[in-house]
Amino acid sequence: MKTVKKDGLSLYIHIPFCVKKCLYCDFLSFSASNSKKQGYVKALVNELAAWEEVLKEKLTGMDRLYFKTVFAGGGTPTCLEPSMLLEILQSVMKYTDENTEFTIEANPGTITDSHISVFKETGINRVSLGLQSAQDRELKKLGRIHTYREFCNSYSKLQKAGFSNINIDIMAGIPGQDIASYKDTLEKITILGPAHISVYSLIVEPGTAFYKMQEQGGLDIADEDTDRHMYNLAKEILGRNGYNRYEISNYSKKGMECLHNITYWTGGNYLGTGLGASSYINGARFAGIRDFNKYINIFKDRAEPGLAEKQVQKNIGSSYEKLSVKNQMEEFMFLGLRMCKGVSKSTFLDRFGINMDEVYGNVIKHFLQNQLLAEDVNSGRIYLTERGIDISNYVLSDFILD
């Protein structure tokens, strides 16, 4: 692995535990006993220590390992006992400072006053609440473990504790959901006034309970026209209430965009720790093993000096892949174009040593003519038009190079 540049890394921490798995979820998550959770906490802390040793010789312009953003997700981080969560977050604190965006995901059905105290103690400054719907019947259909009232109580507690940077996740296309109930959810959330709102459409993924139900004809989800109506409704209601859409599915108040996710969309460096977590550093992609017992065994002890790289390599295994320049260009375009401000021609040139138009000139010209892309000649940026966003999957697929 080459040196890590001065602009730093982002860190993702995977906590795979849930009270129970939601019916739509295809993430690496499961329920577990407290003893298994404690074993995982110890292993995760040891993995972080191993990465510190591996990376400390590869830092350029930095005197210590530093994370500009941290995101603890899952699973459900608040499924852990507060003392366990504290142990993990304290191990991260020495790699952060007051400028780090430090996010944790929280489930309204599991967050407690003690969890919130841990957040405050460890420098968490952004909380992402997985609501999905303000309708209890829809929450039940999704297999969520909380009610809307419980969500409101959690949100109020976070506000009273001084958290102003809160994200709320909303889902469209829930079984049994209609336009009226979706509109009601959006309006209730905008009244609360969180800093950030993520709006997603339900995707029925293979391997989920919903996928089995769909195969058996027992899943009543929105058709394409209704889903499009919901998409436009979110854009209208959120825009009217002061939320700027800065990415296809993400809206925020001014200056409150999620910096961690922007790292993903702009090809920044990020380290993933925990079971099965993915990383991207200097054009190389790799992931940890997904076998729980093997992961625990690799990191059951803190490595002796000089042996940390063996632990890390054993966890990564054969997953390490150095992306070709062609692959990196593709990702630069189809990830960057998810952002409403699009991609920069000058950044493309700096990163790859070639003009964007030399690589993608015909594709860009085609979509400009069809008003699916637009260009800001002053800033040298290419971005999706509103019409282009509506059929973004079609547009972005054309940036795959032969």
Side-chain angles (χ1 to χ4, degrees):
M1 188 183 299
K2 296 180 181 179
T3 57
V4 179
K5 296 179 182 179
K6 187 176 180 178
D7 59 359
L9 280 164
S10 290
L11 173 68
Y12 174 74
I13 306 165
H14 188 61
I15 303 187
F17 307 114
C18 288
V19 174
K20 72 169 189 175
K21 201 170 183 72
C22 295
L23 301 179
Y24 59 88
C25 180
D26 71 331
F27 296 138
L28 179 54
S29 60
F30 44 84
S31 60
S33 65
N34 270 344
S35 61
K36 288 188 74 171
K37 290 176 183 177
Q38 188 60 65
Y40 184 80
V41 169
K42 179 182 178 182
L44 183 54
V45 170
N46 287 339
E47 184 190 2
L48 279 164
W51 272 112
E52 179 183 19
E53 182 174 332
V54 169
L55 292 172
K56 68 183 179 183
E57 301 298 328
K58 305 179 186 298
L59 303 177
T60 300
M62 293 185 287
D63 58 4
R64 67 183 181 96
L65 180 59
Y66 171 72
F67 295 114
K68 60 183 180 180
T69 71
V70 178
F71 196 107
T76 309
T78 47
C79 185
L80 291 176
E81 293 291 333
S83 59
M84 297 182 192
L85 192 59
L86 178 64
E87 189 174 347
I88 294 172
L89 298 179
Q90 281 181 329
S91 72
V92 178
M93 288 179 69
K94 64 179 177 178
Y95 312 125
T96 65
D97 61 21
E98 66 277 2
N99 296 313
T100 300
E101 179 193 80
F102 202 155
T103 304
I104 191 164
E105 289 183 337
N107 187 307
T110 59
I111 190 171
T112 65
D113 291 339
S114 295
H115 284 115
I116 295 174
S117 295
V118 169
F119 298 171
K120 297 288 287 186
E121 182 178 343
T122 55
I124 297 289
N125 51 32
R126 186 174 184 272
V127 181
S128 182
L129 284 173
L131 171 61
Q132 315 310 343
S133 172
Q135 321 302 322
D136 285 347
R137 61 182 177 81
E138 293 173 7
L139 293 174
K140 190 173 182 180
K141 286 281 185 72
L142 291 171
R144 302 293 289 175
I145 63 169
H146 62 87
T147 64
Y148 179 60
R149 175 173 288 185
E150 287 172 327
F151 160 80
C152 289
N153 288 338
S154 296
Y155 185 83
S156 178
K157 286 180 179 180
L158 287 166
Q159 282 193 312
K160 288 177 180 177
F163 289 95
S164 58
N165 194 355
I166 300 174
N167 169 66
I168 298 175
D169 288 340
I170 302 297
M171 185 178 288
I174 297 168
Q177 187 181 56
D178 56 29
I179 298 297
S181 68
Y182 185 60
K183 181 180 180 182
D184 183 65
T185 290
L186 289 168
E187 289 176 340
K188 284 178 176 175
I189 298 314
T190 54
I191 289 172
L192 291 176
H196 191 285
I197 301 174
S198 297
V199 182
Y200 302 99
S201 292
L202 172 68
I203 298 176
V204 180
E205 300 283 5
T208 64
F210 271 0
Y211 187 81
K212 294 178 182 177
M213 293 168 65
Q214 187 177 58
E215 283 189 318
Q216 296 166 1
L219 196 63
D220 176 25
I221 58 175
D223 57 29
E224 189 173 336
D225 288 341
T226 302
D227 186 72
R228 178 57 49 192
H229 189 167
M230 290 179 176
Y231 167 83
N232 289 326
L233 190 64
K235 183 170 61 175
E236 188 273 320
I237 290 176
L238 296 182
R240 174 161 36 91
N241 284 275
Y243 291 91
N244 172 57
R245 182 175 61 180
Y246 69 98
E247 190 270 345
I248 290 176
S249 301
N250 287 273
Y251 298 75
S252 76
K253 292 185 176 179
K254 187 175 180 179
M256 304 305 287
E257 297 85 356
C258 178
L259 301 180
H260 186 84
N261 286 341
I262 288 174
T263 295
Y264 296 152
W265 298 320
T266 57
N269 291 322
Y270 59 89
L271 173 67
T273 55
L275 190 67
S278 297
S279 304
Y280 182 80
I281 299 178
N282 296 332
R285 193 179 305 287
F286 51 92
I289 59 174
R290 298 171 64 89
D291 185 294
F292 182 85
N293 290 328
K294 287 182 180 178
Y295 176 80
I296 297 295
N297 188 56
I298 290 171
F299 294 110
K300 65 179 184 298
D301 298 310
R302 187 158 182 160
E304 295 294 328
L307 298 178
E309 190 157 3
K310 289 186 177 180
Q311 278 187 315
V312 166
Q313 290 296 338
K314 192 171 183 181
N315 183 43
I316 293 172
S318 61
S319 71
Y320 188 91
E321 176 190 9
K322 181 66 176 179
L323 299 186
S324 67
V325 173
K326 178 176 76 73
N327 291 151
Q328 292 180 55
M329 289 178 177
E330 292 170 343
E331 292 200 359
F332 180 93
M333 298 301 291
F334 64 70
L335 290 176
L337 283 170
R338 287 190 59 88
M339 298 191 65
C340 294
K341 70 177 184 179
V343 293
S344 164
K345 288 187 171 182
S346 63
T347 302
F348 188 96
L349 176 60
D350 290 343
R351 189 170 296 186
F352 303 114
I354 188 171
N355 287 315
M356 184 185 291
D357 287 333
E358 290 185 53
V359 182
Y360 288 112
N362 291 335
V363 175
I364 291 172
K365 182 179 179 180
H366 169 73
F367 287 128
L368 288 172
Q369 289 174 340
N370 287 277
Q371 299 182 328
L372 298 175
L373 285 178
E375 181 175 4
D376 184 334
V377 293
N378 293 320
S379 65
R381 302 191 74 90
I382 301 291
Y383 58 94
L384 290 169
T385 63
E386 287 292 329
R387 185 161 163 256
I389 290 175
D390 287 345
I391 55 172
S392 59
N393 288 341
Y394 162 70
V395 177
L396 298 180
S397 67
D398 266 23
F399 287 91
I400 303 298
L401 298 168
D402 294 329

